[in-house]
Amino acid sequence: MYYCIFCKNLHHFNYTKDEVVFKSGFHYFDTKLYHAGLCSQVHVFLKNEQPATA
C-alpha cells in the first residue's frame, strides 16, 4: 500500500503506468508509515489543465 500525496488516501499498488510510488519517500497515516506516491487521479487532473495564454 502507499499514501497518495495528491488525493490524500491510501491505495493498493496496482503496478499501472499511471501510478508513481517513490522509492525514498514515506508518509505517516494513522500512526503507520507508508510509502508515498501519486495515484492515477493526478494524471487525469494534469490532462485537464489548460495552458496559460497571453
Coordinates of all heavy atoms in Angstrom, one line a residue:
M1 N 0.8 -1.2 0.0 CA 0.0 0.0 0.0 C 0.9 1.2 0.0 O 2.0 1.2 0.4 CB -0.9 0.0 1.2 CG -1.9 -1.1 1.2 SD -3.3 -0.9 2.4 CE -4.1 0.5 1.7
Y2 N 0.3 2.3 -0.5 CA 1.0 3.6 -0.5 C 0.0 4.7 -0.2 O -1.2 4.6 -0.4 CB 1.8 3.8 -1.8 CG 0.9 4.1 -3.0 CD1 0.6 5.4 -3.4 CD2 0.4 3.0 -3.7 CE1 -0.2 5.6 -4.5 CE2 -0.4 3.2 -4.8 CZ -0.7 4.5 -5.2 OH -1.5 4.7 -6.3
Y3 N 0.5 5.8 0.3 CA -0.2 7.0 0.6 C -0.1 8.0 -0.6 O 1.0 8.4 -0.9 CB 0.2 7.7 1.9 CG -0.5 9.0 2.2 CD1 -1.7 8.9 2.8 CD2 0.1 10.2 1.9 CE1 -2.4 10.1 3.1 CE2 -0.6 11.4 2.2 CZ -1.8 11.3 2.8 OH -2.5 12.5 3.1
C4 N -1.2 8.4 -1.2 CA -1.1 9.3 -2.3 C -1.1 10.8 -1.8 O -2.0 11.2 -1.1 CB -2.4 9.2 -3.2 SG -2.4 10.4 -4.6
I5 N 0.0 11.5 -2.2 CA 0.1 12.9 -1.7 C -0.8 13.8 -2.5 O -0.9 15.0 -2.1 CB 1.6 13.3 -1.7 CG1 2.2 13.2 -3.1 CG2 2.4 12.5 -0.7 CD1 3.6 13.7 -3.3
F6 N -1.4 13.4 -3.5 CA -2.3 14.2 -4.3 C -3.7 14.1 -3.7 O -4.3 15.2 -3.4 CB -2.3 13.8 -5.8 CG -3.3 14.6 -6.6 CD1 -3.0 15.9 -7.0 CD2 -4.4 14.0 -7.1 CE1 -3.8 16.7 -7.7 CE2 -5.3 14.8 -7.9 CZ -5.0 16.1 -8.2
C7 N -4.3 12.9 -3.6 CA -5.7 12.8 -3.1 C -5.8 12.5 -1.7 O -6.9 12.4 -1.1 CB -6.4 11.8 -4.0 SG -5.9 10.1 -3.7
K8 N -4.6 12.3 -1.0 CA -4.5 12.1 0.5 C -5.3 10.9 0.9 O -6.0 10.9 1.9 CB -5.0 13.4 1.2 CG -4.1 14.6 0.9 CD -4.6 15.8 1.5 CE -3.8 17.0 1.3 NZ -3.3 17.3 0.1
N9 N -5.1 9.7 0.2 CA -5.8 8.5 0.6 C -4.8 7.3 0.4 O -3.8 7.5 -0.3 CB -7.0 8.2 -0.3 CG -8.1 9.0 0.0 OD1 -8.5 9.2 1.1 ND2 -8.7 9.6 -1.1
L10 N -5.0 6.2 1.1 CA -4.2 5.0 0.9 C -4.7 4.2 -0.3 O -5.9 4.2 -0.6 CB -4.4 4.1 2.1 CG -3.6 4.6 3.4 CD1 -3.9 3.6 4.5 CD2 -2.1 4.6 3.1
H11 N -3.8 3.7 -1.0 CA -4.2 2.9 -2.2 C -3.3 1.6 -2.2 O -2.2 1.6 -1.8 CB -3.8 3.6 -3.5 CG -4.6 4.9 -3.7 ND1 -6.0 4.9 -4.0 CD2 -4.2 6.2 -3.6 CE1 -6.4 6.2 -4.1 NE2 -5.3 6.9 -3.9
H12 N -3.9 0.5 -2.8 CA -3.2 -0.7 -3.1 C -2.4 -0.4 -4.4 O -2.9 0.2 -5.3 CB -4.1 -1.9 -3.3 CG -4.7 -2.3 -2.0 ND1 -4.0 -3.0 -1.1 CD2 -6.0 -2.2 -1.6 CE1 -4.8 -3.3 -0.1 NE2 -6.0 -2.8 -0.3
F13 N -1.1 -0.8 -4.4 CA -0.3 -0.6 -5.6 C -0.7 -1.6 -6.7 O -0.6 -2.8 -6.5 CB 1.2 -0.7 -5.3 CG 2.0 -0.3 -6.4 CD1 1.9 1.0 -7.0 CD2 3.1 -1.1 -6.9 CE1 2.7 1.4 -8.0 CE2 3.9 -0.7 -7.9 CZ 3.7 0.5 -8.5
N14 N -1.2 -1.1 -7.8 CA -1.7 -1.9 -8.9 C -0.7 -2.1 -10.0 O -1.1 -2.8 -11.0 CB -3.1 -1.4 -9.5 CG -4.1 -1.3 -8.4 OD1 -4.3 -2.3 -7.7 ND2 -4.9 -0.3 -8.3
Y15 N 0.4 -1.6 -9.9 CA 1.5 -1.7 -10.9 C 1.0 -1.2 -12.3 O 1.3 -1.9 -13.3 CB 2.0 -3.1 -11.0 CG 2.5 -3.6 -9.7 CD1 1.8 -4.4 -8.8 CD2 3.8 -3.3 -9.3 CE1 2.3 -4.8 -7.6 CE2 4.3 -3.7 -8.1 CZ 3.5 -4.5 -7.2 OH 4.0 -4.9 -6.0
T16 N 0.4 -0.1 -12.3 CA 0.0 0.5 -13.6 C 1.0 1.6 -13.9 O 1.6 2.2 -13.1 CB -1.4 1.1 -13.6 OG1 -1.5 2.2 -12.7 CG2 -2.4 0.0 -13.2
K17 N 1.0 2.0 -15.2 CA 1.9 3.1 -15.6 C 1.4 4.5 -15.1 O 2.2 5.4 -15.1 CB 2.0 3.2 -17.1 CG 0.7 3.5 -17.8 CD 0.9 3.6 -19.3 CE -0.5 4.0 -19.9 NZ -0.3 4.7 -21.2
D18 N 0.2 4.6 -14.6 CA -0.3 5.8 -14.1 C 0.0 6.1 -12.6 O -0.4 7.1 -12.1 CB -1.9 5.9 -14.3 CG -2.2 6.0 -15.8 OD1 -1.4 6.6 -16.6 OD2 -3.3 5.5 -16.2
E19 N 0.5 5.1 -12.0 CA 0.9 5.2 -10.6 C 2.4 5.4 -10.4 O 3.2 4.9 -11.1 CB 0.5 4.0 -9.8 CG -0.9 3.7 -9.7 CD -1.2 2.4 -9.0 OE1 -0.7 1.3 -9.4 OE2 -1.9 2.4 -7.9
V20 N 2.7 6.3 -9.4 CA 4.1 6.5 -9.1 C 4.3 6.4 -7.6 O 3.6 7.1 -6.9 CB 4.6 8.0 -9.5 CG1 6.0 8.2 -9.1 CG2 4.4 8.2 -11.0
V21 N 5.1 5.5 -7.2 CA 5.4 5.3 -5.8 C 6.9 5.5 -5.6 O 7.8 4.9 -6.3 CB 5.1 3.8 -5.3 CG1 5.5 3.6 -3.9 CG2 3.6 3.6 -5.5
F22 N 7.2 6.5 -4.7 CA 8.6 6.9 -4.5 C 9.4 5.9 -3.7 O 8.9 5.4 -2.7 CB 8.6 8.3 -3.8 CG 7.8 9.3 -4.5 CD1 6.7 9.9 -3.9 CD2 8.0 9.7 -5.8 CE1 5.9 10.9 -4.5 CE2 7.3 10.7 -6.5 CZ 6.2 11.3 -5.8
K23 N 10.6 5.6 -4.2 CA 11.4 4.6 -3.5 C 11.9 5.2 -2.2 O 12.2 4.4 -1.3 CB 12.6 4.2 -4.4 CG 12.1 3.4 -5.6 CD 13.3 3.0 -6.5 CE 12.9 2.2 -7.7 NZ 14.0 1.9 -8.6
S24 N 12.1 6.5 -2.1 CA 12.7 7.0 -0.9 C 11.7 8.0 -0.1 O 12.1 8.6 0.8 CB 14.0 7.8 -1.2 OG 13.7 8.9 -2.1
G25 N 10.5 8.0 -0.5 CA 9.5 8.9 0.1 C 8.6 8.1 1.0 O 8.0 7.1 0.6
F26 N 8.3 8.6 2.2 CA 7.4 8.0 3.1 C 6.5 9.0 3.7 O 6.8 10.2 3.8 CB 8.2 7.2 4.2 CG 9.1 6.2 3.7 CD1 10.4 6.4 3.4 CD2 8.6 4.9 3.4 CE1 11.2 5.4 2.9 CE2 9.4 3.9 2.9 CZ 10.7 4.2 2.7
H27 N 5.3 8.5 4.2 CA 4.4 9.4 4.9 C 3.7 8.7 6.0 O 3.3 7.5 5.8 CB 3.3 9.9 3.8 CG 2.4 10.9 4.4 ND1 2.7 12.3 4.3 CD2 1.2 10.8 4.9 CE1 1.7 13.0 4.9 NE2 0.8 12.1 5.2
Y28 N 3.5 9.3 7.1 CA 2.7 8.7 8.2 C 1.2 9.0 8.0 O 0.8 10.0 7.7 CB 3.1 9.4 9.6 CG 4.3 8.8 10.2 CD1 5.6 9.4 10.1 CD2 4.3 7.5 10.8 CE1 6.7 8.9 10.6 CE2 5.4 7.0 11.4 CZ 6.6 7.7 11.3 OH 7.7 7.1 11.8
F29 N 0.5 7.9 8.1 CA -1.0 7.9 8.0 C -1.6 7.0 9.1 O -1.3 5.9 9.2 CB -1.4 7.5 6.6 CG -2.9 7.6 6.4 CD1 -3.5 8.8 6.1 CD2 -3.8 6.5 6.4 CE1 -4.8 9.0 5.9 CE2 -5.1 6.6 6.2 CZ -5.7 7.9 6.0
D30 N -2.4 7.6 10.0 CA -2.9 6.9 11.1 C -1.8 6.2 11.9 O -1.9 5.0 12.3 CB -4.0 5.8 10.7 CG -5.3 6.5 10.2 OD1 -5.5 7.6 10.7 OD2 -6.0 5.9 9.5
T31 N -0.8 6.9 12.2 CA 0.4 6.5 13.0 C 1.1 5.3 12.4 O 2.0 4.7 13.0 CB 0.0 6.1 14.5 OG1 -0.8 4.9 14.4 CG2 -0.8 7.2 15.2
K32 N 0.9 5.0 11.1 CA 1.7 4.0 10.4 C 2.4 4.6 9.3 O 2.0 5.6 8.6 CB 0.8 2.9 9.9 CG 0.1 2.1 11.0 CD -0.7 1.0 10.4 CE -1.4 0.2 11.5 NZ -2.3 -0.8 11.0
L33 N 3.6 4.1 9.0 CA 4.5 4.7 7.9 C 4.2 3.9 6.6 O 4.3 2.7 6.6 CB 5.9 4.5 8.3 CG 7.0 5.2 7.4 CD1 6.7 6.7 7.5 CD2 8.4 4.9 7.9
Y34 N 3.9 4.7 5.6 CA 3.6 4.1 4.3 C 4.5 4.7 3.2 O 4.9 5.9 3.4 CB 2.2 4.4 3.9 CG 1.1 3.6 4.7 CD1 0.5 4.2 5.7 CD2 0.8 2.3 4.3 CE1 -0.4 3.5 6.5 CE2 -0.2 1.6 5.1 CZ -0.8 2.2 6.1 OH -1.7 1.5 6.9
H35 N 4.8 4.1 2.1 CA 5.4 4.7 1.0 C 4.6 5.8 0.5 O 3.3 5.7 0.5 CB 5.7 3.7 -0.1 CG 6.7 2.7 0.2 ND1 8.1 3.0 0.0 CD2 6.7 1.4 0.6 CE1 8.8 1.9 0.3 NE2 8.0 1.0 0.7
A36 N 5.2 6.9 0.0 CA 4.4 8.0 -0.6 C 4.4 7.8 -2.1 O 5.3 7.2 -2.7 CB 5.1 9.3 -0.3
G37 N 3.4 8.3 -2.7 CA 3.2 8.2 -4.2 C 2.2 9.1 -4.7 O 1.6 9.9 -4.1
L38 N 1.9 8.8 -6.0 CA 0.8 9.5 -6.7 C 0.0 8.5 -7.4 O 0.5 7.7 -8.2 CB 1.4 10.5 -7.8 CG 2.3 11.6 -7.2 CD1 3.1 12.3 -8.3 CD2 1.5 12.6 -6.4
C39 N -1.4 8.6 -7.3 CA -2.3 7.7 -7.9 C -2.6 8.2 -9.3 O -2.1 9.2 -9.8 CB -3.5 7.5 -7.1 SG -4.6 8.9 -7.0
S40 N -3.5 7.4 -10.0 CA -3.8 7.7 -11.4 C -4.6 9.0 -11.5 O -4.7 9.6 -12.6 CB -4.6 6.6 -12.0 OG -5.7 6.3 -11.3
Q41 N -5.2 9.5 -10.4 CA -6.0 10.7 -10.4 C -5.2 11.9 -10.8 O -5.7 12.9 -11.4 CB -6.7 10.9 -9.1 CG -7.8 9.9 -8.8 CD -8.5 10.2 -7.5 OE1 -8.4 11.3 -6.9 NE2 -9.3 9.3 -7.0
V42 N -4.0 12.0 -10.4 CA -3.1 13.1 -10.7 C -2.9 13.3 -12.2 O -2.9 14.4 -12.8 CB -1.8 13.1 -10.0 CG1 -0.8 12.0 -10.6 CG2 -1.1 14.4 -10.0
H43 N -2.9 12.2 -13.0 CA -2.7 12.2 -14.4 C -4.0 12.7 -15.1 O -3.9 13.5 -16.1 CB -2.4 10.8 -15.0 CG -1.0 10.4 -14.5 ND1 0.2 10.9 -14.9 CD2 -0.7 9.4 -13.6 CE1 1.2 10.3 -14.3 NE2 0.7 9.4 -13.5
V44 N -5.2 12.4 -14.6 CA -6.4 12.9 -15.1 C -6.5 14.4 -14.8 O -6.9 15.2 -15.7 CB -7.6 12.2 -14.4 CG1 -8.9 12.8 -14.8 CG2 -7.6 10.7 -14.8
F45 N -6.1 14.8 -13.7 CA -6.1 16.3 -13.3 C -5.1 17.0 -14.3 O -5.5 18.1 -14.8 CB -5.7 16.4 -11.9 CG -5.5 17.9 -11.5 CD1 -6.7 18.6 -11.2 CD2 -4.3 18.5 -11.4 CE1 -6.6 20.0 -10.8 CE2 -4.2 19.8 -11.0 CZ -5.3 20.6 -10.7
L46 N -3.9 16.5 -14.5 CA -3.0 17.2 -15.3 C -3.4 17.3 -16.8 O -3.1 18.2 -17.5 CB -1.6 16.5 -15.2 CG -0.9 16.7 -13.9 CD1 0.4 15.9 -13.8 CD2 -0.7 18.1 -13.5
K47 N -4.1 16.2 -17.3 CA -4.6 16.3 -18.7 C -5.7 17.3 -18.9 O -5.8 17.8 -20.0 CB -5.1 14.9 -19.0 CG -4.1 13.8 -19.2 CD -4.7 12.5 -19.6 CE -3.6 11.4 -19.6 NZ -4.2 10.1 -19.8
N48 N -6.4 17.6 -17.8 CA -7.5 18.6 -17.9 C -7.0 20.0 -17.7 O -7.8 21.0 -17.9 CB -8.6 18.3 -16.9 CG -9.3 17.0 -17.2 OD1 -9.4 16.6 -18.4 ND2 -9.9 16.4 -16.2
E49 N -5.8 20.2 -17.4 CA -5.2 21.6 -17.2 C -5.1 22.2 -18.5 O -4.6 21.6 -19.5 CB -3.9 21.5 -16.5 CG -4.0 21.2 -15.0 CD -4.5 22.3 -14.2 OE1 -4.0 23.4 -14.2 OE2 -5.6 22.1 -13.6
Q50 N -5.4 23.5 -18.6 CA -5.3 24.3 -19.8 C -4.0 25.2 -19.7 O -3.8 25.8 -18.7 CB -6.5 25.2 -20.0 CG -7.8 24.4 -20.2 CD -7.8 23.6 -21.4 OE1 -7.2 24.0 -22.5 NE2 -8.3 22.4 -21.4
P51 N -3.2 25.3 -20.8 CA -2.1 26.2 -20.7 C -2.5 27.6 -20.6 O -3.5 28.0 -21.1 CB -1.4 25.9 -22.0 CG -2.4 25.3 -22.9 CD -3.4 24.6 -22.1
A52 N -1.6 28.4 -20.0 CA -1.9 29.8 -19.9 C -1.7 30.5 -21.3 O -0.9 30.2 -22.0 CB -1.0 30.5 -18.9
T53 N -2.6 31.5 -21.5 CA -2.5 32.2 -22.8 C -2.2 33.7 -22.5 O -2.6 34.2 -21.4 CB -3.8 32.1 -23.6 OG1 -4.8 32.6 -22.8 CG2 -4.0 30.7 -24.0
A54 N -1.5 34.4 -23.4 CA -1.1 35.8 -23.2 C -2.2 36.7 -23.7 O -3.0 36.4 -24.5 CB 0.2 36.1 -23.9

